[in-house]
Amino acid sequence: MLSEDPVGEEMGGNAIRAYELAKALAGEARVEVVLAAPVRGRPPQEIALVDFDREDPTALSRHLRGVDVVLALPQNPVVAAVLGRSGARVVYDLYDPKPLQMLEAHTGSTALKRRYWSTIALDHVLEALAGADYLICASERQRDMWLGAMLASRLITPAVYDADPTLRSVIDVVPFGVPDLAPQTGGPGPFERFATLDPDAEIVLWNGGLWNWLDPVCAVEAIALVLERRPKARLVFMGRPPGVAGQDRQAQAARALAERLGLLDRAVFFNDAWVPYGERGAWLARASCALSLHVEHLETRFSFRTRVLDCLWAQVPAVCTAGDELAELVSRRGLGAAVPPGDPVAVADAIVGVLEAGRAAYRDALAEVAEGYRWSAVAAPLVRYVLDPGATHRPRPPKLEAPLRRARALATRSARALGRAARRIS
């Protein structure tokens, strides 16, 4: 298992997925699993960990000796080449639609910078589609998108189709999941973090990140309206703003609006530190409602809002923007409410409705749906592939079929090398 995100007490979505799938494989498949990732703070003890620095991918080679299968997100060409030479079956995880995220993440940057990052993200995915022995993604909607990309890249040949007309043996769905064990609700939570938070507050918890493709501004606008009907309601942002310059515009705008409305640290609270992965249960346990809002764009349609799953796990009803698969699930199964994008009035009405109904009204439906998303259940296609004695290396397409893509991959290698050299000089 390969993760570029740090693994430890504080983990982002990519690290969480790698860590939880590693545990599921070790538990369900009973195979030896090693997670290669940057290690930060106190690492978890359930899985063997080795340190991985993506800027020094050659060091990864020694960890790949004798490995049968390696699972990773799409990698830069240098790491992809190391994986390809390892002799292991390579599984690429496409749950994170990074090319669509990059279109939105760098909207405030120059045209050249936007083209650079979008090209790199897309090339990584195209290399993964061509170089994987097996692919997984988070939803059927994502799978449709990646099948279209494979078709356009001439990867679905008659021979591939004849071998498996469903292509499930090539790409299948492994959603983000929830832990098999119930949340640990002890420990510090929002009331311990914010001294001015009233003990009887109704917490509306934003338990995800604050990326530019999300809409925390609408959340602040909505809570100002909610206060007129539910004066004890408090909006708490559990996740800290992104640490990458330019990718925190929405976070800064939300904070500025809260301050302008006189709500900052009175009815709107920002937690500027990561909540340790093992402690998030305490925050969710104290929430009356969860909130996940985004703006309408391509990333929305193919996203898989992973933090909404924590709401199922902790049995917290969610108010979320319509448009993605989990929002449809929330609406269809009565797990909260789905609202139109960019509509603070609709968001406020939904929050008030959920608060008036109370958590208990949603508990049974949330628990039933969460059962199907346990990591031990969602990992089943990956477990089957790992344990399949007949699963061999997938035939690679002829290298000349995509000369332009390979030329761009070479340019990416060169650009990364120049960037590393510039950092050493400076």
Side-chain angles (χ1 to χ4, degrees), residues 101-375:
Q101 287 182 2
M102 289 299 100
L103 292 172
E104 189 67 27
H106 295 283
T107 51
S109 303
T110 65
L112 180 61
K113 185 175 181 180
R114 291 190 71 194
R115 176 65 66 87
Y116 173 79
W117 285 111
S118 295
T119 299
I120 283 180
L122 182 57
D123 280 340
H124 288 185
V125 168
L126 293 176
E127 285 290 326
L129 293 175
D133 294 299
Y134 184 61
L135 297 152
I136 60 174
C137 57
S139 67
E140 292 293 340
R141 187 179 294 182
Q142 284 188 358
R143 185 172 184 268
D144 289 344
M145 177 174 67
W146 299 130
L147 284 170
M150 293 175 70
L151 187 64
S153 300
R154 303 180 184 275
L155 297 174
I156 303 181
T157 63
V160 169
Y161 177 82
D162 290 344
D164 177 9
T166 70
L167 261 72
R168 290 286 172 185
S169 61
V170 176
I171 177 170
D172 210 344
V173 175
V174 176
F176 214 90
V178 302
D180 285 34
L181 299 178
Q184 294 185 3
T185 57
F191 291 102
E192 290 77 16
R193 170 66 179 83
F194 302 107
T196 57
L197 195 57
D198 297 329
D200 59 347
E202 294 181 308
I203 293 180
V204 179
L205 184 67
W206 182 290
N207 65 314
L210 289 166
W211 302 97
N212 285 344
W213 51 85
L214 303 178
D215 198 0
V217 172
C218 185
V220 175
E221 293 171 334
I223 205 67
L225 299 174
V226 170
L227 289 169
E228 298 172 5
R229 289 178 280 174
R230 308 286 294 194
K232 293 183 179 180
R234 298 292 183 266
L235 175 60
V236 175
F237 289 96
M238 187 176 92
R240 69 180 181 188
V244 181
Q247 295 191 21
D248 61 350
R249 287 181 292 102
Q250 285 293 318
Q252 297 305 326
R255 183 185 288 270
L257 177 60
E259 187 169 16
R260 190 162 64 249
L261 295 176
L263 301 178
L264 187 63
D265 296 330
R266 185 176 70 83
V268 179
F269 299 83
F270 289 85
N271 181 36
D272 292 326
W274 277 104
V275 172
Y277 184 58
E279 296 179 10
R280 71 197 190 286
W283 289 68
L284 290 159
R286 290 160 175 78
S288 300
C289 169
L291 191 60
S292 174
L293 304 179
H294 51 253
V295 292
E296 188 174 15
H297 42 59
L298 277 177
E299 190 273 342
T300 293
R301 176 162 181 78
F302 296 103
S303 68
F304 201 78
R305 304 286 179 219
T306 58
R307 296 302 186 177
V308 174
L309 290 172
D310 270 352
C311 301
L312 310 184
W313 174 58
Q315 298 173 17
V316 182
V319 172
C320 51
T321 308
D324 65 9
E325 286 208 11
L326 285 179
E328 291 182 3
L329 180 67
V330 167
S331 181
R332 185 172 66 253
R333 299 295 297 271
L335 311 178
V339 296
D343 188 341
V345 175
V347 175
D349 289 343
I351 291 173
V352 170
V354 169
L355 293 178
E356 288 179 347
R359 279 183 61 162
Y362 301 92
R363 184 172 295 125
D364 290 345
L366 287 162
E368 181 181 353
V369 174
E371 190 67 29
Y373 279 95
R374 299 199 180 280
W375 283 111

